[in-house]
């Protein structure tokens, strides 16, 4: 409330440090392992629970800002960076599993990721586009974002509820 925190991001490396660097997750991991859950399923269960808690904690910021701040980002698997259909499928699943209006699904700005961004935006999902290292990629992502909003509007969706950020790196 007093620190000026306006959003939260995550990625597998952040979760790895949190899980391996503390005993906070040990009880949950043990419980899930006893249920014969696979390692990936255990990771996703823990990550989704953390993202839900973070999104709930950021909900007051989201409300105060009229839905412009207070987002929490969760990324699709980096293994899907070259798989448009897989990225879309995983993003939809994560969006449904987290089920919070102030969540953004992180999608890389790869050749496969950019059409996924357009599709997800057209479905009303909040998207955090990552791994942009040139102006031309940024412009392509912006075009995908606008095209996604146009499709959403054409289908009767409310574009005012869709948010997106694009992380552009210039060296």
């Amino acid at each position: 409330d007093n620190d000026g925190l306006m959003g939260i991001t995550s990625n597998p490396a952040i979760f790895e440090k949190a899980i391996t660097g503390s005993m906070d997750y040990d009880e949950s991991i043990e419980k899930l392992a006893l249920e014969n859950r696979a390692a990936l399923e255990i990771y996703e269960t823990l990550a989704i629970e953390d993202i839900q808690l973070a999104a709930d904690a950021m909900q007051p910021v989201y409300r105060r800002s009229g839905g412009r701040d207070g987002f929490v980002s969760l990324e699709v698997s980096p293994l899907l960076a070259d798989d448009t259909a897989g990225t879309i499928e995983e993003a939809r699943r994560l969006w449904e599993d987290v089920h919070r209006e102030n969540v953004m699904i992180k999608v890389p700005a790869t050749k496969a990721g950019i059409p996924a961004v357009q599709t997800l935006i057209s479905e009303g999902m909040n998207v955090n586009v990552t791994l942009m290292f040139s102006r031309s990629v940024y412009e392509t992502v912006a075009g995908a974002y606008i095209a996604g909003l146009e499709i959403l509007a054409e289908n009767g969706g409310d574009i005012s509820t869709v948010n997106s950020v694009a992380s552009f790196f210039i060296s």
Side-chain angles (χ1 to χ4, degrees):
D1 286 337
N2 299 317
D3 293 333
L5 185 63
M6 303 303 281
I8 300 172
T9 192
S10 70
N11 62 43
I14 292 170
F15 279 117
E16 178 191 19
K17 278 189 167 186
I19 291 168
T20 62
S22 75
M23 297 186 333
D24 295 346
Y25 297 89
D26 291 357
E27 187 177 316
S28 296
I29 291 169
E30 184 177 342
K31 178 182 174 259
L32 293 167
L34 288 171
E35 295 173 4
N36 293 319
R37 306 270 190 105
L40 181 59
E41 189 178 1
I42 292 171
Y43 160 76
E44 281 194 354
T45 299
L46 298 175
I48 288 169
E49 287 174 1
D50 275 8
I51 294 298
Q52 288 173 324
L53 290 170
D56 292 346
M58 294 302 294
Q59 188 61 232
V61 174
Y62 180 80
R63 273 191 248 110
R64 274 195 312 270
S65 69
R68 296 291 173 221
D69 285 313
F71 288 94
V72 180
S73 294
L74 175 64
E75 87 177 43
V76 297
S77 170
L79 300 174
L80 297 170
D82 295 321
D83 180 353
T84 302
T87 296
I88 292 168
E89 181 181 329
E90 182 162 313
R92 287 173 177 156
R93 184 177 55 76
L94 292 172
W95 179 259
E96 288 300 316
D97 288 351
V98 174
H99 199 71
R100 300 293 190 276
E101 65 185 340
N102 61 326
V103 166
M104 284 194 173
I105 303 299
K106 288 170 93 172
V107 176
T110 59
K111 287 183 182 181
I114 292 170
V117 168
Q118 179 176 325
T119 298
L120 300 171
I121 293 290
S122 77
E123 294 175 2
M125 233 176 271
N126 302 317
V127 180
N128 177 343
V129 187
T130 63
L131 303 178
M132 290 185 290
F133 301 105
S134 72
R135 280 183 172 53
S136 65
V137 171
Y138 181 83
E139 290 168 359
T140 302
V141 167
Y145 170 74
I146 291 166
L149 288 178
E150 289 171 343
I151 293 167
L152 179 62
E154 288 169 9
N155 292 331
D158 182 359
I159 64 171
S160 72
T161 64
V162 179
N163 288 277
S164 183
V165 296
S167 306
F168 181 57
F169 178 77
I170 300 175
S171 60

